[in-house]
Amino acid sequence: MAHANTRVPDSTAVQVHGFTRGAFILRSALAVGAVSGIGAVGPFVGRAVAQDSESDGDAEILNFALSLEYLEADFYRQALELDLSAESAALARRLGAHERDHIAALIDVIDTVGGTPTKEPTFSFPINDEASFLELAQTLEETGVSAYNGAALSIESPEVLAAAGQIVQIEARHAADIAAARAQPPAPKAFDESLEMAPVLEAVQPFIKS
Amino acid sequence: MHEQVTETSTRPPVGAMEELGRDPASRKRFLRMVGGAGAACVFATFLAACNGGSDDEDQSGAEGESSAGPAASPAGGVAATKEPQPDPKAGTTDLEILGYALAVEQLENAFYADVLDSGLFRGADLNMIEQFAENEREHLELLEATVEKLGGEVLAAPKTKFPLTSPANALRLAAELENGGAAAYLGQANRIRSKEVLAAALSIHSVEARHAATLNSLAGLPPEPQGAFAVPASMEQVLTSVQRFIVT
């Protein structure tokens, strides 16, 4: 239980035994991004805002979110091909259904703001059993929360920001659900981290086949 | 802040706000509730939002009994639409939103303090509640510091009373407060002007969501009761729903 004055980014302590490069990079990105909290919000905001110079910024952010939702939805689809417990299978089905709804909604919103929805890539995930599924699920959902929380700061349109908020709250609930399934603390920190787009995209790259 | 006051006089208050506006006791209670900086201005803003100061509130049922929050779209989807929307930031300031968030956190802190005093929980559940209480304490500290940084005044927390009769009952109440807290932050996110305040609010919002999902599960409720899209709550919805815990 971190004390306010000695708040240490927990992600730096995340295991890095690295069963794949992708998962390792994701963890590293989370660790680097683990700068939330009172003192650290300012510098991050400066960088996040600096990213946002084009007027079509919202479409770009939405496509970034869409990429992550494609990734998560396909991850849960592939997980359901594994031999999972009934509880974990139900979790994968429920969370996967939410992510597919997020995809549909994001495509609508991208159309609304005059953007072109990015195409769905094909993915490959290093999961082969329940434990590796839950472990990577945790990493992906934590990444999702941090990615939305970071990207939201650059969103121009209040409507798009509202939509992103409606989605990130669900990603956070997912992260807590998975933590519970892994007997991990569901809310180990008082403040969720923010991540910029670039490190997130770099981190998920190893999962993208084409 | 003062231009909002003039807007409030254009139409009479309705519904819960009518009661708050007319009944000096409930108005006083509300003013205590909102606690933070410029409470009177918050009240004025609140009225403005309820009475046509912002059209999006009107469309989505702030006047009626709609179960969905102001920004919720009808089909449970997301809020963005093609039509130009009124600026949700109209008629409010970050300091007012921070004062409101502070009141929500004060309530949650008071609740967890009572739960920890109650001795209702042991073992893993107690550890979890202690963690959540600690999270909320840090939220309160950040909001107090931010209110003071922006030149506002942090008022004392309202006096509260929670019906803690059994562990199951306390878990349900905790779930209600945390779902409400998450919805409260979600309802304000796109009304915040400062990126720094927004970053702080978002980093708190998703932690409230983690608490809510966990407590829902323990209380036998779905962790995502609203499905794939969380539904925001307006200030008036939140403040109305927590009034029964405020002791006058």
Side-chain angles (χ1 to χ4, degrees), chain B residues 70-89:
Chain B
S73 67
V78 293
T81 61
K82 210 160 278 189
E83 291 74 37
Q85 299 287 307
D87 182 4
K89 294 183 179 65

Side-chain angles (χ1 to χ4, degrees), chain B residues 29 32-33 106-107 110 114 156-162 242-248:
Chain B
R29 198 157 61 227
R32 253 202 308 276
M33 239 335 276
Q106 284 176 333
L107 190 81
D114 283 4
K159 210 159 165 266
T160 50
K161 188 163 172 55
F162 302 95
V242 301
Q243 259 193 3
R244 70 184 197 275
F245 306 122
I246 310 296
V247 179
T248 50

Side-chain angles (χ1 to χ4, degrees), chain B residues 154-219:
Chain B
V154 175
L155 299 188
K159 210 159 165 266
T160 50
K161 188 163 172 55
F162 302 95
L164 302 173
T165 52
S166 69
N169 174 291
L171 282 175
R172 271 196 302 274
L173 199 48
E176 180 189 331
L177 288 172
E178 294 281 6
N179 282 292
Y185 279 95
L186 184 54
Q188 299 306 311
N190 72 348
R191 310 180 77 209
I192 294 170
R193 293 161 198 271
S194 147
K195 295 286 184 192
E196 196 168 16
V197 173
L198 176 60
L202 290 171
S203 75
I204 294 174
H205 165 246
S206 46
V207 172
E208 302 283 323
R210 290 170 188 264
H211 294 175
T214 306
L215 291 161
N216 280 358
S217 290
L218 289 171

Side-chain angles (χ1 to χ4, degrees), chain B residues 3 13 19 56 74 90 103 107 150 205 231 237-238:
Chain B
E3 71 275 14
E19 198 184 313
D56 60 336
L107 190 81
L150 296 184
H205 165 246
V231 178
Q237 287 171 319
V238 171

Side-chain angles (χ1 to χ4, degrees), chain B residues 102-147:
Chain B
L102 191 59
V104 170
E105 297 289 349
Q106 284 176 333
L107 190 81
E108 290 180 337
N109 272 269
F111 171 76
Y112 282 114
D114 283 4
V115 171
L116 290 172
D117 281 349
S118 73
L120 285 170
F121 294 96
R122 300 192 193 295
D125 284 352
L126 179 61
N127 291 341
M128 179 204 70
I129 287 164
E130 283 172 344
Q131 171 76 71
F132 290 7
E134 166 66 15
N135 293 157
E136 302 301 357
R137 196 184 61 74
E138 292 186 36
H139 294 170
L140 192 62
E141 279 181 358
L142 174 61
L143 290 168
E144 285 175 351
T146 309
V147 164

Side-chain angles (χ1 to χ4, degrees), chain A residues 36-100:
Chain A
S36 69
I38 300 167
V41 168
F44 169 71
V45 173
R47 293 199 304 277
V49 174
Q51 290 179 338
D52 178 37
S53 51
E54 301 297 315
S55 58
D56 63 353
D58 283 0
E60 188 190 337
I61 293 165
L62 287 162
N63 265 320
F64 166 68
L66 179 59
S67 304
L68 291 182
E69 299 288 352
Y70 281 141
L71 178 98
E72 290 179 334
D74 198 58
F75 170 74
Y76 290 115
R77 185 190 63 78
Q78 293 191 26
L80 284 166
E81 294 168 0
L82 301 174
D83 183 21
L84 300 179
S85 69
E87 292 79 15
S88 289
L91 188 67
R93 266 193 298 275
R94 187 177 86 240
L95 273 47
H98 291 162
E99 313 300 4
R100 288 196 300 278

